[in-house]
């Protein structure tokens, strides 16, 4: 049967209640339930708060008179000495987000500090205003950081509140509230201060948007310029490659031309050497002479006498020395049709003589062009 303090709880709440009791070691189920209800049944927050109390850190629901209560903002940023969030960070957040920053300096020994924390600062309507319209930072002046802020703000009495915002490009105190004040009066005065200075935040916000737009526009222009520059560089690269390709092509053509000229020059020199090395032509009345008529590929005819004892190589050298002869050729006889072995080969390392080749005193030989083969 369920214990009286566990009545009207859901199954999930009952499990959290038992888990919280097991984690904290609190014997009283009523105290466990009360703590969880204060934390809206958030077991992690309740356990952390319990651990904070055990370590001497004030509970957000049970602060000692000598310290200010912690105020949680809607976005869960807590600017207070409890979590050691430095004041410069709060200023930077307010400046970056263009929001009001409410600074509370707590005088531990002042007679009104405890009442202000309990009745004013923790009033639901005050918390709602802080949550929705500003950032909040609080610290005791007995703390080093609180003392430094106190020296900068120069408060006269406590409780002390200062409203800070970005005005004319610098963080400026635009409102100061000193002494005990009731929740409604605090809300009215804070609202008045914010309404009176809202135009500065709006103006700054518009300027930031304009700067952002200018920056975006400049960035777009830079990107467009870089894209255009890359396109021009790519065009120039292609032009260079095309010029280099043409240069190499022209150089290759020139090399081919020079090579062809060298080849023709060497060929002509070789023809001249062959012509100089030819033996004298026999006389017509020499019984050992052979009259040969050569039919060239261009249908022209050339006639010359050779000696029966001469090698067929002499015939080849004679034809090679002629200007109208092809560079590569073979010599064919018609009856019987055959190719004369005029140059050394595997079959004929030493070409035969005209007599050995079976030539008669008068012959007609055909020159076959082999240049393209």
């Amino acid at each position: 049967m369920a214990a009286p303090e566990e009545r009207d709880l859901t199954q999930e709440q009952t499990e959290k209640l038992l888990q919280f009791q097991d984690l904290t070691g609190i014997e009283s189920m009523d105290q466990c339930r009360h703590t969880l209800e204060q934390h809206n049944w958030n077991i992690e927050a309740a356990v952390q708060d319990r651990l904070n109390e055990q370590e001497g850190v004030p509970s957000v629901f049970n602060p000692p008179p000598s310290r200010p209560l912690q105020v949680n903002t809607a976005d869960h940023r807590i600017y207070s000495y409890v979590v050691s969030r430095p004041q410069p960070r709060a200023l930077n957040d307010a400046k970056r987000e263009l929001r009001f920053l409410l600074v509370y300096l707590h005088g531990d020994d002042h007679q009104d500090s405890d009442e202000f924390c309990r009745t004013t600062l923790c009033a639901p309507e005050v918390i709602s205003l802080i949550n929705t319209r500003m950032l909040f930072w609080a610290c005791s002046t007995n703390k080093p950081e609180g003392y430094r802020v106190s020296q900068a703000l120069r408060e006269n009495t406590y409780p002390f509140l200062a409203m800070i915002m970005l005005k004319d490009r610098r963080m400026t105190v635009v409102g100061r509230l000193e002494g005990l004040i009731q929740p409604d009066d605090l809300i009215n005065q804070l609202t008045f201060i914010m309404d009176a200075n809202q135009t500065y935040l709006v103006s700054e916000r518009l300027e930031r948007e304009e700067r952002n737009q200018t920056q975006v526009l400049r960035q777009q222009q830079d990107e467009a310029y870089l894209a255009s520059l890359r396109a021009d560089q790519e065009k120039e690269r292609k032009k260079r490659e095309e010029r280099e390709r043409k240069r190499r092509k022209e150089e290759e053509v020139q090399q081919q031309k020079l090579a062809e000229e060298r080849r023709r020059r060497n060929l002509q020199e070789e023809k001249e050497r062959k012509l100089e090395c030819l033996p004298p032509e026999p006389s017509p009345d020499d019984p050992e002479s052979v009259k040969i008529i050569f039919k060239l590929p261009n249908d022209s005819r050339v006639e010359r006498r050779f000696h029966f004892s001469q090698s067929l190589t002499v015939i080849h050298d004679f034809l090679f020395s002629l200007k109208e002869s092809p560079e590569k050729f073979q010599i064919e006889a018609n009856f019987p049709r055959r190719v004369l072995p005029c140059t050394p080969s595997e079959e004929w390392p030493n070409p035969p003589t005209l007599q050995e080749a079976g030539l008669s005193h008068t012959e007609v030989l055909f020159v076959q062009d082999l240049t393209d083969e």
Side-chain angles (χ1 to χ4, degrees):
M1 193 172 172
E5 56 269 24
E6 297 183 45
R7 293 172 185 169
D8 302 325
L9 296 179
T10 64
Q11 180 66 29
E12 182 181 4
Q13 290 173 335
T14 302
E15 292 176 356
K16 288 184 177 181
L17 185 64
L18 297 174
Q19 185 179 1
F20 179 76
Q21 184 183 42
D22 182 58
L23 291 172
T24 61
I26 299 175
E27 295 183 0
S28 173
M29 194 66 71
D30 287 336
Q31 184 179 350
C32 291
R33 177 171 179 173
H34 178 69
T35 303
L36 284 171
E37 287 175 345
Q38 284 183 320
H39 290 83
N40 198 25
W41 291 92
N42 185 330
I43 189 169
E44 293 181 359
V47 171
Q48 184 61 51
D49 195 43
R50 176 65 177 173
L51 295 176
N52 287 342
E53 288 182 346
Q54 293 175 350
E55 294 175 0
V57 179
S59 168
V60 295
F61 295 98
N62 237 350
S66 61
R67 292 185 179 180
L69 290 178
Q70 185 179 4
V71 177
N72 298 291
T73 60
D75 53 5
H76 305 294
R77 283 176 295 186
I78 306 169
Y79 301 106
S80 72
Y81 71 89
V82 174
V83 294
S84 301
R85 185 72 60 92
Q87 191 258 356
R89 177 172 172 181
L91 286 173
N92 290 334
D93 284 350
K95 182 177 181 179
R96 185 181 65 254
E97 300 176 20
L98 293 179
R99 297 180 66 182
F100 291 99
L101 172 64
L102 183 62
V103 173
Y104 169 58
L105 290 179
H106 183 76
D108 288 348
D109 302 325
H110 196 276
Q111 60 184 2
D112 294 330
S113 295
D114 181 52
E115 182 180 353
F116 176 76
C117 290
R118 292 180 179 277
T119 61
T120 301
L121 199 56
C122 286
E125 57 271 25
V126 174
I127 293 177
S128 176
L129 178 68
I130 293 174
N131 285 346
T132 56
R133 298 197 58 183
M134 68 194 74
L135 301 179
F136 182 77
W137 184 87
C139 192
S140 169
T141 55
N142 289 340
K143 298 292 181 180
E145 190 170 10
Y147 177 76
R148 288 194 297 270
V149 176
S150 173
Q151 291 297 302
L153 296 179
R154 296 294 182 180
E155 72 279 5
N156 296 314
T157 186
Y158 302 98
F160 174 78
L161 293 167
M163 185 70 80
I164 302 176
M165 62 171 288
L166 182 64
K167 183 178 180 181
D168 298 329
R169 302 290 180 87
R170 57 182 297 181
M171 296 303 289
T172 306
V173 177
V174 294
R176 299 166 63 96
L177 301 175
E178 297 182 278
L180 186 62
I181 186 173
Q182 297 304 311
D184 291 342
D185 292 336
L186 176 60
I187 290 174
N188 291 336
Q189 294 195 43
L190 291 178
T191 303
F192 175 80
I193 293 172
M194 288 188 292
D195 291 344
N197 293 277
Q198 188 68 36
T199 54
Y200 293 102
L201 292 182
V202 173
S203 176
E204 179 63 28
R205 190 171 290 110
L206 292 176
E207 289 183 11
R208 283 193 182 181
E209 290 178 359
E210 184 177 354
R211 288 196 298 270
N212 290 338
Q213 290 176 358
T214 301
Q215 184 177 0
V216 169
L217 178 60
R218 185 180 296 111
Q219 182 178 355
Q220 292 174 346
Q221 291 173 341
D222 291 344
E223 290 176 354
Y225 170 76
L226 291 176
S228 176
L229 179 61
R230 285 193 292 268
D232 292 341
Q233 291 174 340
E234 181 66 16
K235 290 180 181 179
E236 183 61 27
R237 184 187 64 80
K238 290 182 177 180
K239 287 181 180 179
R240 288 198 305 269
E241 289 181 352
E242 181 64 19
R243 288 195 297 268
E244 180 64 18
R245 186 189 66 79
K246 289 183 178 180
R247 187 193 65 78
R248 289 197 300 268
K249 183 65 176 178
E250 291 173 357
E251 183 177 341
E252 182 181 349
V253 171
Q254 184 65 19
Q255 292 296 332
Q256 292 176 351
K257 183 178 179 181
L258 293 175
E260 179 64 17
E261 290 178 357
R262 287 195 298 270
R263 188 190 66 79
R264 291 181 179 277
R265 186 168 56 251
N266 294 336
L267 179 63
Q268 182 61 33
E269 292 175 355
E270 181 68 15
K271 285 178 178 288
E272 292 174 359
R273 284 196 298 272
K274 294 291 186 182
L275 181 61
E276 292 175 357
C277 294
L278 286 176
E281 183 177 4
S283 62
D285 55 356
D286 187 342
E288 296 296 322
S289 66
V290 179
K291 177 183 177 181
I292 302 178
I293 300 173
F294 299 98
K295 298 187 71 173
L296 300 178
N298 61 0
D299 293 331
S300 63
R301 291 171 178 260
V302 178
E303 180 180 323
R304 192 183 189 280
R305 289 182 176 275
F306 299 89
H307 202 277
F308 269 120
S309 62
Q310 293 173 341
S311 170
L312 290 178
T313 303
V314 176
I315 298 177
H316 184 275
D317 291 346
F318 167 72
L319 289 173
F320 181 80
S321 67
L322 297 178
K323 181 179 180 181
E324 57 269 39
S325 293
E327 294 181 21
K328 293 176 61 178
F329 58 87
Q330 64 183 14
I331 304 172
E332 297 179 355
N334 205 17
F335 299 104
R337 191 172 184 83
R338 64 192 186 281
V339 176
L340 299 179
C342 297
T343 57
S345 63
E346 292 183 1
E347 185 179 356
W348 296 95
N350 297 308
T353 63
L354 275 66
Q355 186 174 13
E356 292 172 343
L359 299 184
S360 60
H361 285 281
T362 302
E363 287 285 347
V364 176
L365 299 179
F366 298 87
V367 180
Q368 182 70 30
D369 189 356
L370 301 179
T371 302
D372 296 332
E373 295 183 5

